[in-house]
Amino acid sequence: MRIVLLSLLLFTSLKSLSQLNPDVAKRVDAINKISNDSVRIDSLFNYSNTLYETALPQANQVVDLAMEQAQEAKSEHHIGRGHIALSYRNLQQGNYPVALKHALAALNIFHKRKNYLQESFALSFLVEIYRVTNDLPKALKYARQSSDIAHQHIPILRAKAESLGTLGIIYRSMGKPEQAIPIFDSALAILRKDVDDANNKYERTRILGNI
């Protein structure tokens, strides 16, 4: 069974590599030589994240490859990661029903597995999908869920601040600044506790831009 799986992965990889530019193909080829399924698939997803800013089509192809390998390996965790990546892709392309389908699939997987960080990611996509489609009551519902999970189960300060920032933005979008501003203040207070995190500058800018 292991030999069959590796053969299928090799065939899939060769097919996908032929569509990548040489530098990306070389990196993906190196990752595909990792024998541990979990490490290999995580590495593909992580590498795809580094490509989004500069090489979006290449990032999408690496995501497709990672998702194919996750399904072949029957790894629920990695299939969930694939759904999050595909939700992001379709959200950026304006394919909101497809983005919603993938976000809900990811949410179901990570809620069941009690993977709170990934569950929070899935919820954040649901918030954004409903925000851009102007279904603000549903956006608020999922923003509250994300904030609750972040504060109860995720020790990363930035995750707590981001969830509050998103909740505040939804209240502001609903025309409720009296509820949004105290939430923004709480988020900024959390960020001030973690001044060494380079990502905090982006989050502070996002929050301050909505006050």
Side-chain angles (χ1 to χ4, degrees), residues 20 32 37 48 54 64 90 139 159 170 188 190 201 208 210:
L20 297 171
N32 275 329
D37 289 342
S48 74
T54 59
D64 289 341
N90 284 279
I170 298 303
L188 291 171
I190 291 173
K201 181 178 180 181
L208 290 170
N210 282 278

Side-chain angles (χ1 to χ4, degrees), residues 116-117 149-161 190 194:
Y116 298 114
L117 183 59
I149 288 172
H151 283 76
Q152 292 173 20
H153 300 291
I154 301 175
I156 303 169
L157 290 177
R158 189 179 74 253
K160 300 177 190 293
I190 291 173
D194 195 19

Side-chain angles (χ1 to χ4, degrees), residues 38-71:
S38 181
V39 175
R40 184 183 63 256
I41 299 169
D42 271 330
S43 296
L44 286 170
F45 279 126
N46 293 341
Y47 180 47
S48 74
N49 290 339
T50 70
L51 295 171
Y52 275 118
E53 293 296 324
T54 59
L56 182 58
Q58 303 289 300
N60 288 337
Q61 291 175 45
V62 176
V63 165
D64 289 341
L65 176 59
M67 186 60 155
E68 288 170 0
Q69 293 194 13
Q71 291 171 330

